[in-house]
Each structure stands twice: as C-alpha cells, then as structure tokens.
C-alpha cells in the first residue's frame, strides 16, 4: 500500500510539474485525473499514510486568524534602481571602483516580475515552510497559502519519469529558495470577471490581486486564485558549492523549480543594455507584467565581496522601464455616442506623461464601472497605458481626496439629439435609440467608409461630421447622391479635395457584396462573417429574406448573429436604406456563385493558433475564416501547429511558437494563404 501511494505521489507531482512548470504535459488530463483519484481513494482509506508532499495536501489547511512570524535564514535584500542606461553605466563605474582594476564582469539579466517576494524552505527535499519578505529580516508564515500554488514543487527533485532530466540530482538536506509570486494577465482578467459576476470587487491590477491572494487567512480562498511562481535565488543551503548565478539557475531548474525562460547570460554591459531595450519593446508579449529587468553580477563571490548598502546589494540592480501607470486629476467627463447608440463616458484629464506619451483623455468603460469604482469628478485617478491599448482610468486614489470631489451621474438625455436615454436589459451601456440621432449617424458614416467596409479613404471624420451637420447626409446612402456643388460649399473643400472625395465614393460603388454587407453595421457582422454570408447568399435580397435557421446553417454563424441579421432586415427604415443603395447603383449581387462544399479549402490539413489582436478581424472572425477554408483552429501551440497567426499584443503563444520553430503569419499573410 505504502509503495503504491509513494508511486502515485511521485507520478502526480511529476505530471503536475510537466503541466504547470514546463507547460508540456506528457499524459492527457483524463490519465492525470485517474492517477490523482486513485491516490485520493487510497488516502481516504488509509489517512495515516498521507504524506506531507502529497498533491492532496495543496489544499485543505484550516484558516488561521493571523500569520506567525518566520525569521529568514539570511537577509532578504531589495534592489537599487536604475532608470536608464546611463544610470546603469554609473552603477558599473561605482562597483568597478571597489574591484581590482580592469576586472571584467559578466551578468545575468532577467525580467523584473511585478509580484511579491517569497522565501521557500525545503528540508530533505520537502517543502516545509514559506514566508513573505516582510521587513527583510522577518516575514509572515504563509506556508498553507504557498502550498496551493501548482507550480511550487512540494518535493525536489521533482523527477519521476525514467527519461526525466531532473531525476539525477540529489535532494539537498536544507535549501531556502527565493522567488516571486505573481498572476498572469490572462488569468487576472478571467478572475476579475468571475469576481464581478459574483458581485465582488475586482482587483485594480495583477500585483494587488497576487498580494491580496497570498495574504488570505483562509487557504481555500488562495487555492481558487491563479497564482504563479518564478524562482531566482538560493538564499541558504547546506553543502552547495555553486559559483555563479548561471549555475544557481541551472540547479533550480534541475530540481524542478519554475524559473523564467527569459533569463539571459550577458557577457558585458552592452549586452545587458540590448536585453533591456529588447524587453522594453516586447514587454506586452509576456502574459505577466514586468516593470524592468534585473541585472546581477554573475560571479557569486564577486557579488558577495561587493557587499550591501542599506538593504540593497551592490552586485545587482533593477533597471526599470518608464512607468505606465501614473496618477493625475480627473477634470471632466465627456459623453460620446457610438454607432450603435451606446453612450460612453470619456475622462478628460490633467495632461500627464505615461510611458513616454502625453495622455489627456482616457476610457472609462461605462457608467456602471464608474459607480463601482466610485470615481468622482476632481479625483486623483490612476491612469494606465499598456502597449498600444487606449489609456484607461484604473480607479481613484481615495486617500488623496479633499472632500470637494463630485459624484458622477449618468446623463438622462443624449448629448447629441437630446432624446431620453434607455438601458437595454442585461447590458451595462446606456443607449440613445433615436434612429435620427446625428452623433450616431456620424459614427455610422465613419464605419460605412472604413477600410474593411466601403473603403472611401478620402472621407475623413471631420467631413462626415460636417456633412451630417449640414443635413447633406441623413443616412449613409446619401453619400452616393452628393454633388460637386454640395461639397464645394463645405468649408475647406477646394476643387481638388472635392474631386478626390467624389472619385472615392464613385469607386466604392464597385465593392463586392461582402463589403457592402459589412458596411451595413449589423451587430456581429464584421468582415469575416460578411464573407461567409456573401459566399452563401448570392444577393442582398436573398440575405434579407433568409430565415434565422437558414442563416445558422452557414458554418460559423450562431443564433446570436443570425438573430441580429433578421432583426436588422425587419426594420422598415433599414429596408428603405437598402433600396436607396440599390438605386444608387451599388453591387447587390455576388460576383460569382461559389460552391465551397464541393471543393477542398485552401487551408485543408493545416492547424492554426491565433494570438493577439488582428487589425481587421476579431479572433472569432479569424477562426471562422480559417474553418471556412477547411483549416483547423486550436488553442495551444504544439508541434502539430502549422502556423501561428500573430496580431498586436500577442501572448505567450508567440514565445512558444518561437521555441518550437513554428512559422508565424500576420492577418495579411493569412489572407494571402487563402487567396494568393
Ligand atoms: S533579485 C539579491 N530578481 O524586485 C537579489 N528580484 O525591487 C535580490 N524582483 O525585492 C532580488 N523580479 O521582490 C530579483 N528577477 C528578479 C526579480 C526580483 C522581481 C523583486 C524582488 C525584489 C524587488 C526589488
């Protein structure tokens, strides 16, 4: 019995390591579950045989009312900061003065994880205790919470499978390891969505979420939080003779500790500089937040000799990235009306530089969000800009309130047309449902002429506004009835500009049916769905009379989109618009009847993974486009993946693709595969 339990503990821990640390499982989830359940059953029958390093012991500890103190075996140091490469060179000069002349230094550089430092104690290879950093001398004992982290090894070396590279290392008798606990961005979004759905307050950022989760008094709450761990240092050990940081990292990995795959050995300071600049560019490709890179002198004896100033070792430093979160004042709220009539608040801010860009405005998702975060006019607010994402207001800094801040009320009437606003059931946004609302019409025109739709480049936002204001455009079809005389009257429209605009409008009459369908702005009907519809229905007339069932028989179109389409065509005003467009001479028929079912698609036999935001397709649309051409779409990158389609802000899938040497494509590349 003991033998089988030992074997199962070993196997489950090993497969857990393959899954959570290496991200490369070697058995299926079902096989894993079978092993785990066999173990649970044996433990239930023989509770006296439960081992402390059994995977069943990750959860189940009783809540406490406070954390015990734990003294660290050596000071848990912090790091000095450098803010740019000239600071880094100054750091090198300072430490150079303390070393024999001409000493050459090599370094280890790695991301600076934006999480919380933890100290993990192992005895005879078993995880026995763990603590927060605390004041660097004494931390809080959070062992029960740490146990719940799946990538934290309960026993080292983790190795079990015969071919495992981790099997040969002897377990150290005493080992204290330091690492950082954090939460991946994607897990954070999911977790916040769950909290909100359950009526709880979401966390402001992944770091706060990780901190809050680690300091839970009830470990079962922590167990439900997606905490991740990377280890980067040996604080103390018995009988270990490691000489360099490179060896430290190798050793930790051999034992089975999770470590960042982005650690680099840099031969000189210039290489460190390159590493820093590279990650400043690529930080959004990681699924976790980093606020800089950490630079460590590779030779441990040299680092030791360099000593400590205050709490900072001289032999390592943090090279920070420019901050992307700043606080500033919320001056006013501007109210915008979208194409669908949704009324959206926009924050007007005291201008502030965030990550190298001046920010004056930021998104405030909706009025519910403002209320939930209790954001008030005049508040100092945290503004965040991540990559190319539009800046947004994270929340107020309540501690800085003067008392003069004013609550924000949602408007009762549309700022554009003055009609009363309504709230649709089940939606957070408030809507102006006046079909003649000028602001909505401007947005509709902007959408109609955009690149994926009728592509009338010569018609900008300002022109759209003026055309609507002057009453020259009362619906998008009016664009096709504009005359040179109309346009020449507009401010700033000389002959050349007018001719350009008319030529652009004229050319758009020839756009294929799919573009026209996209341009109508039906909910859920973007570029890819329009392609599917145009391929199936030969004309706009056929599409407009299709039933919901017929629409759903098109692969890739679900009940939601089908409903939106039939609803759109049931509105008399929309049908008049279609007639007006037909009268204007737009193409209402598909170019050639296609019969996709009889041909094998161009992507047959290929497997795709999509990561990041594509410029012209939602992820769903891209997936459908691939499937419609007989390609397969999967969630995770493996050796079987043919291509990874990469958009803005790709996630860790791109990293994985690079590791495995899988070719990547952008959206244009994908389209080229379909239509060379
Ligand atoms: S090394 C002597 N490496 O940053 C070694 N620290 O601002 C000291 N941190 O307290 C730490 N990522 O919590 C190191 N790759 C990394 C790190 C890292 C994040 C944290 C750590 C430290 C803080 C200092």
């Amino acid at each position: 019995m003991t033998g089988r339990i030992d074997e199962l503990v070993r196997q489950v821990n090993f497969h857990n390591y393959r899954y959570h640390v290496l991200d490369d499982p070697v058995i299926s989830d079902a096989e894993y579950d079978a092993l785990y359940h066999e173990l649970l059953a044996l433990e239930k029958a023989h509770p006296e045989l439960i081992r402390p390093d059994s995977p069943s012991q990750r959860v189940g500890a009783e809540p406490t009312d406070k954390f015990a103190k734990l003294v660290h075996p050596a000071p848990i140091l912090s790091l000095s900061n450098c803010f740019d490469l000239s600071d880094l060179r100054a750091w090198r000069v300072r430490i150079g003065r303390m070393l024999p002349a001409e000493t050459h230094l090599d370094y280890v550089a790695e991301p600076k994880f934006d999480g919380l430092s933890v100290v993990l104690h192992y005895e005879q290879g078993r995880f026995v205790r763990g603590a927060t950093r605390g004041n660097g001398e004494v931390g809080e004992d959070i062992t029960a919470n740490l146990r719940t982290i799946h990538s934290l090894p309960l026993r080292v070396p983790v190795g079990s499978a015969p071919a495992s590279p981790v099997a040969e290392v002897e377990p150290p008798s005493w080992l204290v390891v330091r690492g950082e606990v954090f939460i991946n961005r994607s897990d954070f979004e999911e977790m916040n969505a769950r909290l909100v759905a359950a009526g709880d307050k979401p966390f402001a950022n992944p770091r706060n979420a990780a901190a809050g989760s680690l300091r839970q008094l009830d470990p079962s709450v922590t167990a439900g939080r997606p905490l991740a761990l990377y280890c980067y240092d040996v604080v103390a050990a018995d009988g270990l003779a490691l000489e360099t940081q490179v060896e430290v990292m190798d050793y930790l990995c051999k034992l089975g500790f999770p470590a960042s795959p982005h650690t680099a050995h840099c031969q000189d300071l210039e290489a460190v500089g390159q590493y820093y600049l590279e990650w400043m560019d690529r930080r959004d490709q990681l699924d976790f937040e980093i606020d800089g890179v950490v630079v460590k002198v590779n030779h441990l004896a040299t680092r030791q000799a360099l000593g400590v100033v205050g709490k900072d070792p001289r032999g390592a430093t943090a090279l920070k990235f420019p901050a992307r979160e700043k606080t500033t004042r919320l001056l006013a709220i501007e109210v915008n009306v979208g194409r669908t009539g949704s009324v959206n608040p926009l924050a007007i801010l005291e201008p502030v530089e965030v990550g190298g860009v001046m920010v004056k405005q930021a998104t405030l998702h909706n009025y519910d969000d403002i209320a939930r975060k209790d954001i008030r006019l005049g508040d100092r607010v945290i503004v965040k800009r991540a990559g190319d994402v539009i800046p947004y207001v994270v929340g107020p800094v309540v501690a800085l309130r003067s008392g003069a801040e004013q609550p924000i009320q949602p408007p009762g009437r549309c700022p554009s047309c003055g009609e009363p606003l309504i709230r649709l059931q089940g939606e957070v946004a408030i809507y102006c449902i006046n079909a003649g609302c000028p602001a909505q019409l401007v947005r509709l025109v902007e959408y109609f002429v955009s690149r994926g739709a009728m592509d009338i480049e010569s018609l900008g936002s300002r022109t759209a506004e003026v055309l609507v204001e002057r009453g020259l455009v009362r619906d998008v079809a009016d664009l096709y009835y504009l005359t040179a005389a109309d346009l020449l009257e507009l401010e700033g429209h000389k002959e050349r500009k007018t001719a350009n605009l008319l030529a652009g409008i004229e050319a758009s009459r020839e756009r294929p049916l799919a573009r026209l369908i996209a341009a109508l702005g039906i909910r859920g009907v973007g570029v890819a769905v329009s392609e599917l519809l145009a391929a199936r229905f030969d004309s706009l007339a056929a599409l407009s009379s299709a039933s919901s069932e017929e629409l759903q028989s098109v692969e890739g179109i679900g009940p939601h989109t089908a409903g939106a389409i039939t609803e759109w065509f049931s509105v008399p005003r929309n049908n008049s618009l279609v007639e007006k467009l037909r009268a204007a001479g737009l193409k209402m028929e598909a170019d050639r009847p296609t019969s996709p079912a009889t041909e094998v698609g161009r992507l047959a036999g290929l497997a795709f993974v999509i990561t990041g935001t594509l410029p012209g397709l939602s992820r769903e649309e891209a997936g459908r486009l691939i499937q419609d051409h007989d390609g397969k779409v999967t969630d995770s990158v493996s050796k079987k993946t043919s291509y990874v389609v990469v958009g803005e802000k790709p996630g860790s899938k791109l990293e994985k693709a690079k590791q495995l040497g899988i070719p990547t494509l952008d959206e244009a590349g994908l389209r080229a595969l379909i239509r060379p």
Side-chain angles (χ1 to χ4, degrees), residues 77-79 81 110-117 133 178-180 232-233 294 296 303 313 316 318 320:
L77 298 171
S78 184
L79 288 170
N81 287 325
E110 62 185 5
K112 186 171 188 308
F113 317 111
D114 199 6
L116 285 105
S117 227
R133 175 172 182 273
R178 177 170 177 189
E180 202 82 356
Y232 52 72
D233 206 8
V294 178
K296 301 168 188 179
R303 225 151 88 189
K320 303 285 280 270

